[in-house]
Amino acid sequence: MDGFERRTDEKRKRIFEAAQGLFGRHGFKRVSIEEVAEQAGVSKVTIYNYFGSKEGLIRELVAAAFRSRKVAIERLVHGDLPFPEKLRSLVLQKAEASSSYSQEFLERILQHPAWQQQPVEELDGLVAELMEQGKREGIISDKTPLRALRLYIEIFKSGTEAQSTVLAGLTSEELSQIIRMFFHGLTAT
């Protein structure tokens, strides 16, 4: 990589980090390209040259967020932890991500067309792998169909996303109890 390419990569990285931080704290609507440029130490023109528009920059942020989430899930699913710890880590990752960014930013990412266009079936495959591990470990009944598990997880995921700030403030023991209830309901078993 020559000096020009290195400087270009460095500028893109600074723009990306500045946008991620500003959008994460204040949301997409309240942050201007001027603010991103100032924070990154570049001109507005540079941002437009690299990303085309504010929407182009947002699209790249959303795509990067998806890739990052996918890599984190892949590492977790293919790691050596027992199934309950993997699920706990997934919930904690979501809660930590939620507490790091504004609610508007997270909602906007999930609703953004760039997020909707991501290959969600890849994530579904990872979830299926994780559920199979839960079945092998005897935590999930091997008679439970994957479709029912996915719906159950989606319901749980929607609830945890809606309560992400509350989850971020829970103790480890409280979070463990929620995960226990996820698997066993409210029964004493």
Side-chain angles (χ1 to χ4, degrees), residues 119-132:
V120 177
E121 56 276 354
E122 292 175 28
L123 294 181
D124 285 345
L126 290 169
V127 169
E129 278 185 63
L130 186 59
M131 294 305 107
E132 288 303 320

Side-chain angles (χ1 to χ4, degrees), residues 126-145:
L126 290 169
V127 169
E129 278 185 63
L130 186 59
M131 294 305 107
E132 288 303 320
Q133 179 184 353
K135 287 180 177 185
R136 283 191 309 275
E137 291 181 15
I139 294 168
I140 297 174
S141 168
D142 60 354
K143 294 179 175 88
T144 305

